[in-house]
Amino acid sequence: GAGVSQSPRYKVAKRGQDVALRCDPISGHVSLFWYQQALGQGPEFLTYFQNEAQLDKSGLPSDRFFAERPEGSVSTLKIQRTQQEDSAVYLCASSLRRSTDTQYFGPGTRLTVL
Amino acid sequence: GDSVTQMEGPVTLSEEAFLTINCTYTATGYPSLFWYVQYPGEGLQLLLKATKADDKGSNKGFEATYRKETTSFHLEKGSVQVSDSAVYFCALGENTGNQFYFGTGTSLTVIP
């Protein structure tokens, strides 16, 4: 498909487990964002990549959150030692060039931490 | 820091009614402004955008004008349809940075 894909779509983790969430952006898109969306809220910015460079990680809530995009395409968001407050939908979006170009969103990964 | 505040919902309108969803922003620079929409069961998608003051974004009968003097980007549509039922998010992107800020979303239901 030509859109942004994310996997898994749903993830249930026990508190303290590590999780890895994958994002496949649109081919050729330079910019990639990760967002966290709590129930009934808007997406909250987590981090931004331009190609393989992570230019902004100011939104990551703690040092348990880590994101990478080693070859400038697929990205992984890793959460270590998950806590209940990490339960949310994690959205990935990509855009062609700049961060203010149109963003194309994936369907999200719903993470539930028990 | 930069932020976006939008009208809280939910909003329920009859078909063909006029729609306004208010959005105001706070920014230190000159951001680009966006409205994104999420239809039931679908992902977020861009509805319209404006990149500088006095620009008007429009799409599918929706319009929003970037007003620097009132720091607003209100969404309007003259005659809503049932198919417009969705959650609408106002958003701000920094032109000199990389962060992106969304409002909390406004749920719209249009009844026949």
Side-chain angles (χ1 to χ4, degrees), chain A residues 100, chain B residues 30-34 49-53 55 66 95:
Chain A
T100 50
Chain B
Y30 301 94
S32 293
L33 300 174
F34 305 78
K49 70 178 185 180
T51 58
K52 61 183 188 297
D55 269 2
Y66 188 160
N95 282 319

Side-chain angles (χ1 to χ4, degrees), chain A residues 56-74:
Chain A
D56 194 319
K57 55 181 181 179
S58 60
L60 296 176
S62 76
D63 58 8
R64 297 185 296 105
F65 287 71
F66 172 76
E68 60 183 4
R69 193 185 185 198
E71 296 178 359
S73 55
V74 171

Side-chain angles (χ1 to χ4, degrees), chain A residues 13-40:
Chain A
K14 292 183 179 178
R15 190 161 54 94
Q17 281 186 332
D18 298 349
V19 298
L21 312 180
R22 177 187 169 105
C23 172
D24 281 85
I26 293 173
S27 178
H29 276 198
V30 167
S31 292
L32 186 145
F33 293 82
W34 282 99
Y35 296 91
Q36 180 189 60
Q37 186 174 19
L39 191 63

Side-chain angles (χ1 to χ4, degrees), chain B residues 74-91:
Chain B
H74 305 321
L75 182 68
E76 297 182 334
K77 185 173 186 181
S79 176
V80 293
Q81 304 300 311
V82 172
S83 57
D84 294 327
S85 297
V87 181
Y88 293 82
F89 294 90
C90 186

